[in-house]
Amino acid sequence: KFFVTIKTFYLLRKQPEASKLFSLMKKKYFDFIDIGAFHGVYTNLAIRSKNCRKLISVEANYSNYQFLKKVFNSRDVEIKNNIFSLQSGEISFFVPVLSHAQYGNLENVLGSGIKGRFENEVEIKVKSTNLAHLISRINTKSKSLILKVDIEGMEGDFIKDLYSISLDYDRIII
């Protein structure tokens, strides 16, 4: 919890538009989807708002996903270990392994089929998700939706997905 607090402080100092965004939502109920949540800085901001009705945090990297589960386990956050893609099924991607101490025993974390492109990388396979699936998880009557998106190269697919689905919101903020 201490780490998230420091990251939140940094975010508010370095990215004041993020805190302004949530201050705009003080008077209206909203739903929030954090795609590419990393350690949950934006999730932490959203959960502090009394007007956030549904909060979904999505992270593809398993160690970051475990961190999110640990930090937000007692809160009303749906945490998902998925990667954003228009393709269905499992998607492979590679993450750097900086040290054995950072990840502990990789076989316990990632399973026995570990292989990497380089000595300091590990391949991870994660089930994909798309915006339509994430929004189907929301069953509130909120009129506003905030989407925080950090999907490293998949932004074009995200925009295609956004335009292909019907959204029942008066306001969508990305």
Side-chain angles (χ1 to χ4, degrees):
K1 289 182 181 178
F2 181 71
F3 179 77
V4 172
T5 304
I6 289 173
K7 294 285 271 183
T8 302
F9 174 75
Y10 175 80
L11 174 76
L12 294 175
R13 260 186 72 228
K14 298 295 184 184
Q15 298 180 9
E17 64 276 4
S19 60
K20 287 179 187 174
L21 172 69
F22 288 104
S23 68
L24 289 173
M25 304 311 262
K26 285 183 179 179
K27 295 181 182 176
K28 297 194 181 255
Y29 290 108
F30 66 97
D31 299 320
F32 182 77
I33 301 176
D34 188 354
I35 304 172
F38 187 56
H39 286 152
V41 174
Y42 286 90
T43 298
N44 194 31
L45 282 173
I47 204 167
R48 292 173 185 232
S49 171
K50 295 175 181 141
N51 292 331
C52 185
R53 288 196 170 166
K54 180 68 176 183
L55 178 51
I56 300 174
S57 188
V58 182
E59 175 56 43
N61 186 313
Y62 188 77
S63 60
N64 293 337
Y65 162 74
Q66 289 293 82
F67 179 84
L68 290 169
K69 281 180 56 175
K70 184 176 181 181
V71 170
F72 297 110
N73 71 349
S74 63
R75 312 238 178 113
D76 192 23
V77 181
E78 184 176 339
I79 301 168
K80 300 181 75 56
N81 182 214
N82 293 107
I83 190 167
F84 177 85
S85 179
L86 295 179
Q87 301 173 16
S88 60
E90 276 191 341
I91 306 288
S92 292
F93 68 100
F94 293 86
V95 295
V97 178
L98 302 176
S99 71
H100 183 71
Q102 179 185 7
Y103 284 89
N105 184 339
L106 287 174
E107 198 162 303
N108 288 342
V109 173
L110 303 173
S112 60
I114 300 170
K115 61 181 180 179
R117 297 179 303 177
F118 304 104
E119 189 174 316
N120 62 341
E121 286 188 336
V122 174
E123 180 182 21
I124 296 179
K125 293 182 180 182
V126 181
K127 287 184 181 178
S128 67
T129 192
N130 59 32
L131 195 54
H133 174 75
L134 294 172
I135 290 175
S136 73
R137 307 283 308 148
I138 298 172
N139 55 4
T140 68
K141 302 235 188 279
S142 299
K143 294 295 182 189
S144 297
L145 173 65
I146 299 176
L147 298 165
K148 184 279 214 158
V149 183
D150 183 5
I151 50 179
E152 302 178 22
M154 299 300 292
E155 292 84 0
D157 284 351
F158 174 80
I159 297 298
K160 285 180 195 173
D161 198 22
L162 183 63
Y163 280 106
S164 72
I165 60 176
S166 170
L167 298 173
D168 190 27
Y169 290 96
D170 292 342
R171 180 176 15 180
I172 300 171
I173 302 169
I174 302 172

